[in-house]
Amino acid sequence: MSERHQPSGSAGGAGTELRGTIKWFNPEKGYGFVSPSDGSQDVFLHISALKQAGLQDAPEGSTIHCEVGQGRKGVQVLRVIQLDASTATPRPQQQQQRPRRPFPPRGNSPHHGHE
């Protein structure tokens, strides 16, 4: 029985359960914020908490049920219990489906042949 407790954990336990909505999350930066449904201050969400739950992303507008506690820079998500992406705001996909650089009008130029 080796439960790990933070030495500075004086608030009697690991964390507090919270329900809220993903305010925004940037997978490239690896973090975002949760807006608690009770109207309290936004909570920091690090990608490590998502990865522990087997997730890679938290789309904006998703409903999250998580455990929060004191982190290095304030209150943060310690553990994701459930993430419901069905409530997420759809991201604009039209622009992402286009190729980043346009293909030349003719794909097989006579100058690119093998000798």
Side-chain angles (χ1 to χ4, degrees):
M1 295 175 66
S2 60
E3 284 188 48
R4 285 181 63 187
H5 291 287
Q6 293 180 348
S8 62
S10 59
T16 308
E17 284 194 23
L18 177 136
R19 292 179 190 272
T21 305
I22 302 297
K23 187 173 186 176
W24 63 269
F25 184 81
N26 186 326
E28 285 84 36
K29 292 183 178 180
Y31 68 90
F33 287 90
V34 174
S35 293
S37 52
D38 65 4
S40 59
Q41 190 174 3
D42 290 350
V43 175
F44 181 74
L45 171 61
H46 192 263
I47 195 162
S48 59
L50 289 174
K51 287 188 175 183
Q52 283 179 347
L55 301 166
Q56 297 294 320
D57 193 8
E60 181 181 327
S62 297
T63 304
I64 187 168
H65 179 200
C66 56
E67 187 179 313
V68 298
Q70 189 64 34
R72 288 194 310 236
K73 297 181 181 179
V75 179
Q76 72 178 47
V77 174
L78 301 175
R79 183 172 65 97
V80 175
I81 299 167
Q82 184 177 14
L83 183 78
D84 181 5
S86 69
T87 61
T89 307
R91 289 183 177 160
Q93 295 292 326
Q94 295 86 4
Q95 294 176 351
Q96 293 176 356
Q97 290 175 350
R98 286 188 195 153
R100 290 186 179 207
R101 54 188 171 142
F103 292 108
R106 295 188 180 157
N108 43 358
S109 171
H111 300 293
H112 289 279
H114 290 260
E115 300 202 17

